[in-house]
Amino acid sequence: MIEKYFDPSYIWTAFSQLMPFLKVTFAVSGLSILFGTLLGLLLAAAKLGKSTAARKLADAYTTIMRCTPSIVLLFLVYYGVPFLAGQFGLNLHDVHTAVFVVITFTLQFAAIMSEVARSAILSVNRGQYEAAVSVGLSPLQAYRRIVFPQAVVVALPNFANGLIALLQEGALAYTIGLIDIVGKANLIVAANFNAHALEIFIALALIYWVLSILIEQFFSLLERWLGRGKRTIKTT
Amino acid sequence: GSGDDAEGDDAVRKVKIAYDQASKPMSWIDENGKPTGYDVEVMKLVDELLPDYEFEFVGTTSDDLLIGVEQGKFQAGVKNAFWTEERTKKFLYPEEFLGLSSAGLVLRKEDENIKSLEDFASAGYSLAPIAANNAQYTVIEEYNNAHPDNPVKLQAGDSFTVDVVQWVNEGRVDGGVMIEGPFEKQVTAKDGPYHHLEEEVVYNEFDVIKTWPLFNREEKELAAAYDGAVKKLKEEKKLEELSEEFYGRNLFDVLDSVDR
Amino acid sequence: MQQSLNIPFLIDTFFTALSGVPITLAVTAVAMLIAVPAGFLLALSRVNEVPVLREITKVYVSFVRGTPIIVQIFITYASVPLILTALFEKYGIQANVYELNPIWYAFIVFSFSTTAILSEVFRSALSTVDRGQLEAAWSVGLTGFQSFRRIIIPQALVSALPNLATATVNLIKATSLGYALSLQEITLKAKVAANAGYNYIEAYIDIFLVYLILCSVVEFAFKKYEQRAARFRVQHV
Amino acid sequence: MLEFKGVRKSFGPLQILKGVDVEIGKGDVVVILGPSGSGKTTLLRCLNFLERADAGTARLGSLEVDLNRATKKEVHAVRQKTAFVFQNYNLFNNKTALENVMEGLITGRKQPKETARKKAAAALDKVGLSDKYDAYPVQLSGGQQQRVGIARALALDPEVILFDEPTSALDPELVGEVLGVMRQIAADGTTMLVVTHEMQFAKDVASQVVFMDDGVIVEAGTPGQIFDRPAEERTKRFLRRVLPDEYNYSI
Amino acid sequence: MLEFKGVRKSFGPLQILKGVDVEIGKGDVVVILGPSGSGKTTLLRCLNFLERADAGTARLGSLEVDLNRATKKEVHAVRQKTAFVFQNYNLFNNKTALENVMEGLITGRKQPKETARKKAAAALDKVGLSDKYDAYPVQLSGGQQQRVGIARALALDPEVILFDEPTSALDPELVGEVLGVMRQIAADGTTMLVVTHEMQFAKDVASQVVFMDDGVIVEAGTPGQIFDRPAEERTKRFLRRVLPDEYNYSI
Ligand SMILES: Nc1ncnc2c1ncn2[C@@H]1O[C@H](COP(=O)(O)OP(=O)(O)OP(=O)(O)O)[C@@H](O)[C@H]1O
Ligand SMILES: Nc1ncnc2c1ncn2[C@@H]1O[C@H](COP(=O)(O)OP(=O)(O)OP(=O)(O)O)[C@@H](O)[C@H]1O
Ligand SMILES: [Mg+2]
Ligand SMILES: [Mg+2]
């Protein structure tokens, strides 16, 4: 029964067909991460700052993002943004699909990132800041030279997790017609009249799996390199 | 049209024609990344006949095509669309249909005798899920509304994951709605991926249905221009050739019996 | 050319979307019921360094974390029937795999992925409990099993709760991909309703609202429970 | 009463205990002194099987076990006869003071809940915590937590209580509190083996003082012998360094 | 030299400092004693603006500031003239010993890197850490970390160094190390304000001893006055409790 439908050779052909579209996946995730990180840092600053209104707003934003499935957010942005723009007489119809995908995942990643940054900064003992100002650094210098370098090390693993999560949520961009690797897989399946879809999906899964392992490895190397001061030396 | 003589002519209007990029053989992106398929090829011919217009083909999902045409992102779209009552409220249908589509049930060999939706429903059989935005879904739904005492079990799903021939053959469902073209290419054709199942599944046509391009409601002129062009193509039997090429059968032979 | 929102439809479809909540919750509940004990056992296998099982768990967790859930759904939906039929044929079991309601696939996929996620949640929770707690339990004469049941697990549970809440919320959100399994949950129901009049924006606003309400309630419930379970951590002095 | 012989333990290449013998009579209070890293904690942990010794035997009343090869049952039996008071308390964080003391009685010793509650309350009263039954560990000060730890050990009514630096995590004011309780328990005739840096306590309470260094017992004797007339150079050097009246300011 | 007046501070409804005045001459070593919770740490933190006092003024040489309303600039100026040695060290975890000491000189005082390096090395040498320049804090023992903390303060060449229980996180052997260094610094004529529980150090080194309780200064005087002839009942009670030779065993 299985032999009738399953032909591993499709997996290999699928690889070569899918690979060229990795660059779309990378471009879209890369931009989302870049913008999402920037927005996320702003949100984190709001959450840690003195203004109650800004903090409440940032918290509410995070809750909403946490509670919205990616696919729903994707559609809301894709259809909602041009719709709203249309209400103001703005025509966004020539904007490329990828832009909406980037907007969606920027919004989502910012929420993840704001929590990563917030908890990382909080994890740096307040004494570090106090010691810095006590030797005559200004508060800004204390953050820049003492608190942030330590927070970055703490944030790295969570940042990597967020990155992997984003990459995977990005797989849903095919639903609005983006031809990244999942979109391409969709096209291959369609070109085969939906036959041998399983093999294509397996190829897709393997690509994602390898990617996420690479990301993990990269970040654990980075962490070791950045975390020199945290190295624990076993002393007797 | 896209003819060389039109270059630089101010009067030429560029319009976006969306097509479903994953609906072989009606419309899809070929190995070279170029749009093709019956629906697309007809529109290319139309383009050639319309010197005042230049068509740009935009591949997308069928959800997006519907919303995009409605919102005016695209001026028109082709996706092997049937005519339904609801759609007339959102879209402009032209006078002239685009092509014909044979809709049928894919069944196991032993169910060969089931020839219509009524038979299928009476047998209490299960049907493969159909994407909710697909007109096939509406066709079945309309049947069900007309036969409340003998409805087909209809389920919405995702076209990406449903391989009707495999599902029927496996026994995962008892039958599935399919357009003849894909079935042809998949099973009947010698190089089809399921040619080895030719003796196990059958395709029983229950209807031949006209398919239409969908126009944005503002595009009355474009639709009229289209009407003129298609009329001419039909007279030249160009469409029958394309039907033969993409569906392996000239569906215009049975045009007389088509009622929707 | 631009229309405004279809408000009556928006309201009607909100209730249609709401009617998908029981299915969403059923899938969530079943996945959790399976994943909590299974994930815990796998976490124990890593904490206690059970040879082969530990390696398998690692690969399994890495696969689930490394691949999009939609791809996991595609694969499961395409392969499980094939595999089951082959097995049934081989062992002569008379059962029809294909009479399965799609909800069973949802149970399989989401239990499979949630188990992996929870095994990580529990592993890190167990490692937050100080080893001294175990030693103290031994020193007052508790056996290993008693120590886990009465001292370690209650404490690990508390530190696991926030992550458990996140996992639950993520699971609820992930069921929105059930459309690929023809699962009659919130998203699919609203989309089918939208199809009649092509009111997609309204439908997605409704879906968004339903998830927002659902997840907020779940988060709130977890917070309340956490406060109760963590009373031993609250300082009243 | 309690006797152990030839206790050896290595961590990897590092030999921590190099053959230690100690004998304790019923009602004795034996204090172990020694510099940091000399193996005092490791010795106590081996006796309670929190670490597996590489070699050595222990005799506890009539029970004789091999510290290396003891079966699960023997380990359990030893733990039932002894109690351990941890340096950093190790109270069960998820249980109140009373529940902390009851846990070993109910789950470990299978005593009925009511009996356990009575015993636990009595033990807490003894260490002066009658008003803290329902407090969770985080709600207690360091000295109070350490006293709950002692009550938890006491309530088990063990043949020996092992104390590992019971005051080193406390601030100077709380030290007095805890040592006071221990002194009283000693006066009640409980057998105790105590690792501590509190010289005053050793002088006042110990029936025997053992000085350990580098994994061996250097010298043992009454407090008078050890503090006033130490025989070994190593002991003298150590005492000079730690006795409170003689701070050594050179770096 | 350093003088502060009427320092008040509340946390919510809790009044911690209820008007504290202290005066320190150049080269003085002032030791603040007092039970836990009496507000000693809070006082030091207010002087360095790690907490904002509710009221009070400080005069540091010619600089006079309002502890409640000081501007950013004034705060910075005070911090440039003082240095703080933290109870739990608070070394910069991401910097080596040398970098820890250099940081304040380079970034805070804008000194050229080379000058900073020389000063930092000299300060580390002074506390006996010539061989630990490149060690990260995790690679240092508690006593060594505390000495880096002291070097970090010394290198800034501040007018006053504030010490908050510089030895309470150390084990008995390391205490001697750190007190030795402090004694030497005191002998060099550095002005110091020290919160500590080490009575012996207070006796030996302090030019003035201040006894605080419950947010007020109960009594101040020379070590001889405070230790041998305390005037206040509260001071006597406290000394009885903490002096090492007089453990109080009653619960
Ligand atoms: N689990 C372990 N693995 C490796 N080395 C260990 C372990 N436990 C203890 N050691 C080492 O064994 C030696 C003795 O440790 P132990 O805790 O018994 O000393 P101690 O006499 O109790 O010292 P202290 O007074 O500082 O508590 C130390 O050098 C320590 O580093
Ligand atoms: N940030 C804060 N919020 C609320 N209360 C505080 C805060 N910091 C200190 N306190 C309270 O202020 C009081 C005095 O604290 P402080 O640390 O100054 O005492 P201390 O004299 O240094 O005691 P110790 O000797 O234990 O260090 C304590 O009761 C403490 O609980
Ligand atoms: Mg020890
Ligand atoms: Mg203090």
Side-chain angles (χ1 to χ4, degrees), chain D:
Chain D
M1 168 67 226
L2 170 63
E3 190 186 331
F4 39 96
K5 275 202 187 132
V7 184
R8 288 170 186 284
K9 170 76 187 169
S10 302
F11 288 112
L14 223 69
Q15 218 184 332
I16 307 298
L17 298 178
K18 303 173 179 172
V20 175
D21 311 311
V22 176
E23 213 186 311
I24 304 177
K26 192 164 169 59
D28 270 5
V29 177
V30 175
V31 169
I32 305 183
L33 300 178
S36 182
S38 55
K40 308 179 297 291
T41 297
T42 308
L43 178 64
L44 289 198
R45 290 171 61 84
C46 284
L47 294 182
N48 213 24
F49 295 98
L50 297 176
E51 307 282 356
R52 262 305 154 135
D54 301 331
T57 57
R59 199 178 46 73
L60 226 163
S62 58
L63 182 69
E64 178 122 22
V65 292
D66 183 314
L67 289 177
N68 181 248
R69 276 188 298 269
T71 62
K72 261 193 171 175
K73 232 169 122 179
E74 287 173 329
V75 170
H76 202 66
V78 170
R79 287 186 181 151
Q80 299 265 6
K81 283 172 191 281
T82 58
F84 203 102
V85 178
F86 295 86
Q87 167 172 358
N88 54 348
Y89 331 137
N90 280 345
L91 297 190
F92 304 131
N93 296 324
N94 57 333
K95 307 212 171 263
T96 62
L98 197 67
E99 288 166 355
N100 257 280
V101 183
M102 288 164 66
E103 186 64 31
L105 298 171
I106 297 177
T107 315
R109 305 263 151 108
K110 309 279 175 235
Q111 299 187 356
K113 219 165 170 172
E114 263 324 300
T115 327
R117 185 185 305 279
K118 275 195 200 110
K119 281 195 194 172
L124 284 173
D125 294 350
K126 200 165 185 175
V127 298
L129 291 175
S130 329
D131 53 340
K132 296 288 179 188
Y133 291 173
D134 295 326
Y136 283 98
V138 281
Q139 299 171 294
L140 297 170
S141 77
Q144 290 166 339
Q145 288 189 48
Q146 189 59 288
R147 284 187 277 155
V148 175
I150 295 173
R152 183 170 69 178
L154 272 182
L156 294 170
D157 200 14
E159 304 193 0
V160 194
I161 305 183
L162 310 170
F163 289 87
D164 187 13
E165 303 193 23
T167 61
S168 77
L170 303 178
D171 76 34
E173 294 194 74
L174 298 175
V175 169
E177 235 177 57
V178 171
L179 291 180
V181 171
M182 287 174 65
R183 189 179 226 214
Q184 191 189 324
I185 299 166
D188 293 352
T190 307
T191 311
M192 291 158 70
L193 180 53
V194 185
V195 170
T196 184
H197 285 126
E198 295 296 331
M199 300 301 144
Q200 197 60 39
F201 176 81
K203 278 186 192 162
D204 291 359
V205 185
S207 44
Q208 196 190 354
V209 174
V210 174
F211 176 62
M212 254 184 98
D213 193 8
D214 201 19
V216 296
I217 290 185
V218 177
E219 183 166 7
T222 63
Q225 281 166 354
I226 299 289
F227 288 110
D228 305 332
R229 307 174 293 281
E232 300 289 327
E233 190 48 41
R234 273 205 269 179
T235 319
K236 285 181 200 156
R237 231 183 13 243
F238 174 76
L239 290 174
R240 224 178 9 248
R241 242 190 359 249
V242 299
L243 281 184
D245 291 333
E246 294 166 61
Y247 278 121
N248 175 4
Y249 285 131
S250 71
I251 309 167

Side-chain angles (χ1 to χ4, degrees), chain C residues 64-79:
Chain C
V64 168
R65 275 171 37 101
T67 53
I69 183 119
I70 185 77
V71 175
Q72 292 170 27
I73 290 174
F74 291 158
I75 290 182
T76 310
Y77 204 28
S79 69

